[in-house]
């Protein structure tokens, strides 16, 4: 999401905490919607589709919004490195986190 939007939109932090104050006795539910692009799509900022994204990319030249990876390559890397047996150290854990964990890309 951050890559496609030129850094405008960020993924949510997932955290589970008790509801505050008077909301505490109520049951909470969440609805999650996951989607990803087709396997052959190159992951990069969608500057042609939005003036706002193009402006955001131009205003942050120090950030790289061209991953060079396809959605399939990104997904394969995440799945491979999420398996504990495939982890070799912190670098493979970071590779399982997607593009936002790599400041050189986003």
């Amino acid at each position: 999401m951050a890559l496609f939007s030129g850094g405008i939109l960020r993924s949510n932090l997932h955290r589970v905490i008790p509801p505050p104050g008077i909301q505490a006795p109520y049951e909470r539910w969440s609805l999650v919607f996951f989607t990803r692009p087709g396997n052959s799509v190159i992951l990069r900022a969608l500057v042609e589709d939005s003036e706002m994204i193009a402006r955001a990319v131009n205003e942050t030249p120090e950030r790289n919004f061209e991953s060079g990876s396809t959605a399939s390559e990104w997904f394969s890397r995440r799945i491979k490195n999420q398996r504990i047996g495939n982890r070799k150290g912190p670098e493979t854990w970071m590779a399982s986190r997607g593009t936002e964990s790599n400041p050189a890309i986003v």
Side-chain angles (χ1 to χ4, degrees):
M1 185 169 16
L3 191 61
F4 286 132
S5 71
I8 295 170
L9 301 174
R10 304 291 294 186
S11 297
N12 265 2
L13 280 177
H14 176 78
R15 40 185 186 174
V16 179
I17 58 172
I22 62 172
Q23 296 177 10
Y26 296 102
E27 188 172 317
R28 291 171 40 166
W29 291 74
S30 65
L31 175 65
V32 180
F33 178 77
F34 292 101
T35 186
R36 67 182 177 95
N39 286 337
S40 62
V41 173
I42 301 290
L43 302 179
R44 62 183 201 64
L46 301 174
V47 294
E48 298 86 10
D49 299 321
S50 167
E51 290 179 27
M52 183 183 293
I53 293 173
R55 194 169 42 254
V57 169
N58 287 333
E59 290 173 359
T60 53
E62 70 280 2
R63 295 170 74 183
N64 178 12
F65 294 102
E66 299 288 333
S67 75
S69 296
T70 64
S72 177
E73 292 165 340
W74 173 86
F75 186 70
S76 295
R77 184 187 74 237
R78 293 218 41 203
I79 295 303
K80 174 186 170 200
N81 291 308
Q82 285 179 353
R83 294 185 180 120
I84 296 298
N86 291 338
R87 296 228 181 119
K88 305 287 185 257
E91 65 282 353
T92 53
W93 180 84
M94 290 298 285
S96 75
R97 301 297 89 203
T99 57
E100 290 184 14
S101 69
N102 185 349
I105 293 176
V106 175

